[in-house]
């Protein structure tokens, strides 16, 4: 009898389910539809960006038993667009249909200590870190990390939320209180020369397609810009790719995985965190890669081989946050090498990711200049 891991691939016409209806779910559904698949989105929000483009919207909470049963019966395979889906829901779904990535993989990735433990045991190099459950842990933690450090909640943090820089023990105490005295990790604050991320897709048979690293710039803790190829030397770029692939193999990951790294001022490669889904820093792949990260998600959850991750052009991606609204789109579209992607969100709020653009050029410096020029115009 064939094992579940060697079953025939799901081909166009099959129905793909996604937990979460934000922009990542939307772009996944659009890729799936382009390829002839049907899509089902589970999301409680009536105005979910993904539901707008899906074949079917199950509007319910992520633990709603009826909705989960419906999802399991409607879909041939199920994936997720965010890491905070309740583990029980993923486990329930996986008793009925294949779920990629698995509940176990998502559980590792959503927990900052577990992901660092896995990274370290796979030979990667996270910043020194220590668990903090109570004020009693402060001295031992500081002894491990030194100061300054960064205190982060072990789960539920994103876009720089749920973290604070720590310069002394008193500050650690007040930050821990402000974060609600929930389980936290204290890590050493590294001196960063650059941040990069490596995106890959891995299928059930362990076949991997890995993209070149993206160079990422954050503003106020939120990704602002990705530059690809990253302006790092080839050996370091290759080392980051090999480390990301090693980590995916170690956790037997199936799906699209993003791994964030720091490059320190003394040129060390430091593991930061990973995400069990397509990633904002991979949005450039929609226009500047043979196969985009969302097509990869479709391919690998369906048991197909990962697509070609080759870069077809140097590219700069810039996020469009709600702060820019209202936008004069002519200022954006005047550049003929700019590809605009908007997520159909009805309300613009500061810090809210409303869309992004990719700007392509044969020369990366020209792409950076042109992208900055458009962005500056939108800001004014
Ligand atoms: P999030 O889940 O919000 O993306 P991250 O752990 O990636 O959280 O942290 C957000 C940003 O904060 C990083 O991209 C980096 O700029 C900075 N940062 C986080 N951890 C460290 C660290 N240990 N040393 C230096 N900078 C850090
Ligand atoms: Mg991050």
């Amino acid at each position: 009898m064939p094992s579940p891991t060697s079953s025939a691939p799901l081909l166009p016409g099959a129905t793909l389910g996604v937990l979460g209806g934000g922009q990542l779910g939307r772009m996944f559904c659009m890729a799936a539809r382009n390829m002839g698949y049907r899509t089902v989105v589970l999301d409680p929000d009536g105005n979910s960006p993904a539901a707008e483009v899906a074949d079917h919207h199950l509007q319910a909470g992520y633990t709603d038993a009826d909705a989960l049963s419906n999802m399991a019966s409607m879909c041939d395979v199920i994936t997720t667009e965010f890491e905070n889906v309740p583990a029980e829901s993923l486990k329930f779904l996986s008793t009925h249909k294949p779920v990629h990535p698995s509940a176990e993989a998502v559980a590792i990735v959503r927990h900052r200590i577990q992901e660092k433990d896995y990274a370290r045991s796979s030979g990667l190099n996270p910043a020194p870190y220590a668990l903090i459950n109570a004020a009693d842990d402060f001295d031992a933690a500081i002894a491990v990390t030194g100061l300054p450090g960064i205190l982060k909640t072990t789960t539920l943090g994103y876009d720089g939320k749920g973290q604070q820089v720590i310069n002394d023990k008193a500050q650690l105490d007040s930050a821990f209180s402000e974060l609600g005295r929930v389980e936290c990790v204290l890590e050493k604050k590294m001196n960063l020369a650059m941040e990069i991320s490596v995106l890959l897709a891995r299928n059930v048979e362990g076949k991997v397609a890995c993209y070149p690293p993206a160079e990422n710039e954050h503003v106020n803790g939120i990704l602002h810009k990705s530059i690809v190829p990253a302006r790092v030397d080839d050996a370091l770029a290759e080392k980051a790719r090999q480390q990301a692939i090693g980590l995916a193999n170690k956790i037997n990951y199936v799906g699209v995985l993003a791994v964030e790294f720091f490059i320190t001022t003394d040129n060390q490669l430091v593991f930061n965190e990973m995400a069990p889904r397509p990633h904002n820093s991979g949005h450039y792949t929609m226009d500047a890669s043979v196969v985009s990260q969302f097509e990869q998600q479709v391919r690998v959850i369906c048991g197909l081989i990962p697509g070609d991750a080759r870069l077809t052009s140097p590219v700069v991606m810039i996020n469009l946050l709600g702060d820019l609204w209202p936008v004069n789109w002519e200022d954006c579209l005047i550049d003929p090498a700019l590809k605009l992607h908007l997520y159909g969100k009805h309300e613009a709020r500061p810090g809210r990711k409303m869309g992004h653009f990719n700007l392509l050029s044969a020369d990366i410096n020209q792409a950076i200049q042109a992208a900055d020029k458009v962005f500056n115009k939108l800001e004014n």
Side-chain angles (χ1 to χ4, degrees):
M1 220 174 88
S3 74
T5 54
S6 64
S7 56
L10 295 167
L11 298 173
T15 301
L16 317 183
V18 58
L19 293 158
Q23 65 268 18
L24 299 176
R26 176 186 175 98
M27 292 182 273
F28 166 77
C29 288
M30 288 165 88
R33 293 194 87 152
N34 274 338
M35 294 164 76
Y37 291 89
R38 298 180 61 77
T39 53
V40 175
V41 168
L42 174 64
D43 188 299
D45 180 1
N47 288 322
S48 135
E52 208 168 64
V53 302
D55 291 285
H56 195 84
H57 180 196
L58 291 165
Q59 192 185 341
Y62 298 113
T63 53
D64 184 305
D66 289 341
L68 291 168
S69 287
N70 283 337
M71 188 164 207
S73 64
M74 292 171 86
C75 299
D76 298 300
V77 63
I78 293 152
T79 189
T80 180
E81 64 128 38
F82 73 124
E83 44 273 47
N84 296 320
V85 261
E88 298 71 37
S89 302
L90 289 176
K91 280 186 195 134
F92 167 81
L93 290 168
S94 65
T95 59
H96 298 277
K97 292 291 165 65
V99 175
H100 302 304
S102 67
E104 294 75 20
V106 173
I108 293 167
V109 171
R110 73 191 291 270
H111 193 277
R112 292 195 191 274
I113 298 266
Q114 282 196 37
E115 71 181 344
K116 289 180 203 293
D117 286 349
Y118 261 91
R120 196 159 60 181
S121 66
S122 313
L124 279 65
N125 174 34
Y129 61 97
L131 177 69
I132 294 200
N133 266 315
D136 288 352
D137 299 326
F138 290 170
D139 287 329
I142 291 171
V144 171
T145 65
L147 292 172
I150 301 191
L151 186 70
K152 305 178 182 177
T153 56
T154 53
T155 60
L156 303 175
Y158 69 99
D159 287 344
K161 293 187 177 66
Q163 57 177 274
Q164 292 196 25
V165 175
I166 306 297
N167 291 300
D168 54 42
K169 197 172 155 187
Q171 228 175 9
L172 179 55
D173 192 42
S174 59
F176 186 53
S177 292
E178 271 171 47
L179 294 176
R181 307 188 93 76
V182 295
E183 187 185 74
C184 283
V185 57
L186 182 68
E187 53 184 75
K188 183 182 170 78
K189 185 170 188 294
M190 310 301 281
N191 293 319
L192 308 188
M194 191 188 284
E195 298 192 49
I196 63 171
S197 54
V198 174
L199 193 70
L200 61 81
R202 185 176 184 278
N203 75 3
V204 173
E205 286 159 355
K207 292 209 169 63
V208 176
C210 183
Y211 290 92
E215 172 183 341
N216 300 322
E217 283 179 32
H218 297 82
V219 174
N220 300 325
I222 304 178
L223 183 68
H224 168 57
K225 186 194 291 179
S226 294
I227 299 168
V228 193
R231 293 166 295 174
V232 295
D233 67 67
D234 290 349
L236 200 66
E238 190 50 29
K239 185 174 175 186
R241 291 174 80 250
Q242 291 311 322
Q243 290 196 351
I245 294 169
L247 193 50
N249 289 338
K250 170 99 179 173
I251 55 183
N252 198 16
Y253 188 85
V254 177
V256 171
L257 182 73
V259 184
E260 296 180 10
F261 294 95
F262 302 137
I263 299 171
T264 60
T265 45
D266 54 357
N267 219 31
Q268 297 301 304
L269 187 64
V270 172
F271 168 85
N272 178 28
E273 62 167 352
M274 48 186 160
R277 49 171 171 76
H279 196 255
N280 194 166
S281 67
H283 289 355
Y284 78 86
T285 63
M286 297 170 83
D287 300 307
S289 300
V290 177
V291 169
S292 79
Q293 62 172 344
F294 301 103
E295 293 171 83
Q296 298 284 20
Q297 190 177 14
V298 173
R299 279 174 162 270
V300 296
I301 69 169
C302 287
L304 295 158
I305 59 163
D308 191 338
R310 217 166 2 123
L311 198 65
T312 53
S313 168
V315 58
V316 171
M317 188 280 319
I318 289 190
N319 268 337
L320 300 172
L321 302 184
D323 313 59
L324 296 172
W325 261 241
V327 174
N328 177 1
W329 293 113
E330 221 180 322
D331 289 340
C332 200
L333 293 165
I334 197 143
D335 191 310
L338 182 146
K339 309 272 284 187
L340 178 65
H341 300 269
L342 293 175
Y343 309 147
K345 295 186 181 176
H346 297 290
E347 196 196 335
R349 288 192 297 270
R352 189 172 198 209
K353 291 174 180 169
M354 303 296 291
H356 68 271
F357 67 74
N358 291 324
L359 208 152
L360 283 67
S361 168
D363 176 73
I364 192 60
N365 291 314
Q366 241 164 48
I368 294 169
Q369 259 179 27
D372 286 346
K373 189 172 160 196
V374 171
F375 183 75
N376 291 338
K377 191 91 201 236
L378 298 184
E379 250 193 331
N380 293 319

